[in-house]
Amino acid sequence: MEVGRRTALALPWLCAAPAFAQGGRPARLIVPFPAGGTTDLLARLTTDRLAARLGHPVVVENRAGAAGGVAAAEAARGDADGSTLFLASIGTAATNPLVYRHLPYRTEDLAEVAALFALPNVATVAPRAPFPDLAGFIAAAREKPGALSFGSSGAGSSLHLTGEMLKHRAGIDLLHVPYRGGGQMLTELLAGRIDIAFGNLPTAIGMIRDGTLRALAVTGPRRNPALPDIPTVAEAANLSGFAATVWFGLQVPRATPAPVVERLNEAAQAMLAEPAVRARLAELGVEPMGGSPADFSRFVQDEAAAWRPVITGAGISVE
């Protein structure tokens, strides 16, 4: 009798899953940053391939603001039927609660579906900048404390935290200049309004390759295969153990039924396994991730634990 009761309770969601997968109204992927940057680029790759796997349209909805907080709040209150998806970032899922005193959302109101993409940031300067390398930039910053500036895609963003980590580890004083997105930040860098920019690698890689930007270092734990000649920050600045990796994953409102979450996870795993997708990610310097919803949840917890001492040690706090 108990088995029959459990089966009867599960039937509505078991029946709903095929309908969700085969058609119905379009799903929306809420993206926490504006169009034109790495997050948007990866979001559009995701929606294209998820739509093919799920059998219905998935559209990008950019909601910039509060280092992803505006988008996370919108996703958390969305319909919990598989039609509301959220492209979570390291900021929205792991570091925002450590940085912001007040957030417009609660991380527990969103549930993990799958880890998707991991990538480094890259420190870039304008081609004619007077710094020959990252060590030269750090030396200049030490000579004139507070005179040099770095840009980011917003207060509390992974780009901001990367700059703060460099300040903390190298013992330098830099002025932080936040922008609304990575594209705007790089435009300001080329215009000479900031001295260095920490950008997501896919946003900057085309400009690095054509010489529009000059890369000083990547922030990952090892050199990136897409730019094998560019040293890591640890190498370039003799800062052992320095590593700042950005990542993105798929989340849904917490009340989304488990069968729908599993269906979305299966679609995400299939997307990441596609040879064409993997080739495109490699070209951009992005590593596919993957794993179960539980794997992603543990990863988020581990990332928050790893960043906590960095954020508290540097005294990073945003109202």
Side-chain angles (χ1 to χ4, degrees), residues 128-188:
R128 297 184 180 180
F131 320 111
D133 48 31
L134 186 60
F137 174 82
I138 291 172
R142 286 175 176 157
E143 288 178 6
K144 297 180 179 180
L148 299 183
S149 59
F150 78 94
S152 82
S153 58
S157 66
S158 67
L159 308 186
H160 176 202
L161 296 184
T162 299
E164 294 291 347
M165 182 187 289
L166 181 66
K167 286 172 56 178
H168 184 63
R169 289 291 308 277
I172 56 177
D173 182 17
L174 301 173
L175 173 66
H176 172 226
V177 183
Y179 296 98
R180 288 184 59 83
Q184 183 189 20
M185 174 191 66
L186 294 180
T187 298
E188 295 291 282

Side-chain angles (χ1 to χ4, degrees), residues 64-108:
V70 171
E74 174 68 17
R77 59 176 175 260
D79 293 335
D81 59 0
S83 64
T84 301
L85 313 177
F86 180 53
L87 189 65
S89 69
I90 179 177
T92 62
T95 60
N96 279 2
L98 305 175
V99 172
Y100 281 83
R101 295 186 180 181
H102 304 286
L103 284 173
Y105 69 99
R106 302 186 307 166
T107 55
E108 57 265 36

Side-chain angles (χ1 to χ4, degrees), residues 89-289:
S89 69
I90 179 177
T92 62
T95 60
N96 279 2
L98 305 175
V99 172
Y100 281 83
R101 295 186 180 181
H102 304 286
L103 284 173
Y105 69 99
R106 302 186 307 166
T107 55
E108 57 265 36
D109 290 338
L110 292 161
E112 287 74 36
V113 174
L116 296 178
F117 314 112
L119 56 134
N121 291 323
V122 57
T124 57
V125 295
R128 297 184 180 180
F131 320 111
D133 48 31
L134 186 60
F137 174 82
I138 291 172
R142 286 175 176 157
E143 288 178 6
K144 297 180 179 180
L148 299 183
S149 59
F150 78 94
S152 82
S153 58
S157 66
S158 67
L159 308 186
H160 176 202
L161 296 184
T162 299
E164 294 291 347
M165 182 187 289
L166 181 66
K167 286 172 56 178
H168 184 63
R169 289 291 308 277
I172 56 177
D173 182 17
L174 301 173
L175 173 66
H176 172 226
V177 183
Y179 296 98
R180 288 184 59 83
Q184 183 189 20
M185 174 191 66
L186 294 180
T187 298
E188 295 291 282
L189 176 68
L190 292 174
R193 297 188 181 94
I194 52 175
D195 297 295
I196 194 170
F198 296 94
N200 295 153
L201 182 55
T203 303
I205 196 167
M207 301 172 76
I208 293 169
R209 285 173 173 156
D210 68 17
T212 306
L213 288 174
R214 182 155 55 88
L216 301 185
V218 293
T219 67
R222 66 188 74 79
R223 294 195 182 200
N224 190 278
L227 292 174
D229 295 332
I230 305 303
T232 65
V233 171
E235 291 177 281
N238 195 28
L239 296 175
S240 177
F242 187 106
T245 301
V246 180
W247 48 263
F248 299 94
L250 195 62
Q251 291 183 321
V252 291
R254 176 64 62 181
T256 302
V260 175
V261 172
E262 289 299 325
R263 176 72 181 101
L264 289 168
N265 179 269
E266 290 170 5
Q269 302 305 322
M271 172 190 75
L272 294 174
E274 292 183 33
V277 170
R278 297 181 79 88
R280 176 59 174 151
L281 294 178
E283 180 184 349
L284 295 169
V286 177
E287 179 183 352
M289 296 180 73

